[in-house]
Amino acid sequence: DLDRPIGFDFGAGPIMEGFSAIRNDTRYSPERGYGWVKYDNVWKGDRGVGDHLIRDYCSGGEDREWVVALPDGSYTVTVVMVDTLFDHFAPDIYLEGEQVFENRSIRVNEPIRPSFQTQVSDGRLTCEFINPGHLPYFALNGIIIERN
């Protein structure tokens, strides 16, 4: 149902109400319609501090790719990133192959929620999280998608 935003909660902790769970091992499948295409971290990622969305995350220092099946069209994508215990980093973010965000530091317990406009033309939204080579690791707490 794309009449309202759809949310994905990343990490091992409790799931934010109304969101779908994305764990380290949530691999993409056509039946599920969303999941990791490229991800290999095993850390559970639950700090136990903060609301259900920001207390946990999927992490890593390597490049990651996540996809969700969506009808072709225009979307607003919001990415939520933070660590509730330590200063952290946000990676370069690409949507549909286009860079929409440049890496930066994130202060402890101060989530950033950048939003981006993108166009889906192949039936699925591809989100890439790229380490430019100098980040020790990054955290991904959530993705919220709204049809425009």
Side-chain angles (χ1 to χ4, degrees):
D1 176 19
L2 294 173
D3 291 335
R4 59 188 177 91
I6 55 174
F8 299 92
D9 184 345
F10 291 74
I15 303 304
M16 190 76 161
E17 185 177 339
F19 281 56
S20 296
I22 303 295
R23 307 297 190 190
N24 290 348
D25 60 354
T26 305
R27 298 284 179 199
Y28 178 82
S29 72
E31 299 78 27
R32 180 181 293 122
Y34 58 84
W36 294 110
V37 173
K38 183 178 182 183
Y39 190 87
D40 59 2
N41 194 354
V42 296
W43 185 68
K44 297 297 185 199
D46 184 6
R47 297 293 194 200
V49 176
D51 68 27
H52 290 342
L53 186 59
I54 68 167
R55 69 177 271 168
D56 59 339
Y57 54 83
C58 288
S59 179
E62 302 299 320
D63 297 347
R64 309 288 188 229
E65 183 176 339
W66 183 84
V67 299
V68 58
L70 292 172
D72 291 354
S74 178
Y75 294 89
T76 300
V77 179
T78 301
V79 179
V80 181
M81 296 172 282
V82 72
D83 186 326
T84 57
L85 296 182
F86 300 101
D87 286 345
H88 214 74
F89 301 93
D92 293 341
I93 299 174
Y94 290 74
L95 299 179
E96 295 296 286
E98 179 182 339
Q99 185 171 2
V100 294
F101 185 85
E102 187 171 340
N103 68 86
R104 60 171 265 202
S105 61
I106 304 171
R107 302 276 306 155
V108 63
N109 211 26
E110 293 180 12
I112 63 170
R113 292 177 168 89
S115 293
F116 317 102
Q117 303 297 312
T118 194
Q119 188 75 27
V120 172
S121 59
D122 62 356
R124 67 185 213 175
L125 171 66
T126 300
C127 306
E128 297 172 276
F129 305 94
I130 305 297
N131 185 339
H134 62 274
L135 303 179
Y137 67 101
F138 55 83
L140 174 61
N141 306 78
I143 294 178
I144 302 161
I145 302 168
E146 296 179 72
R147 188 169 196 154
N148 295 332

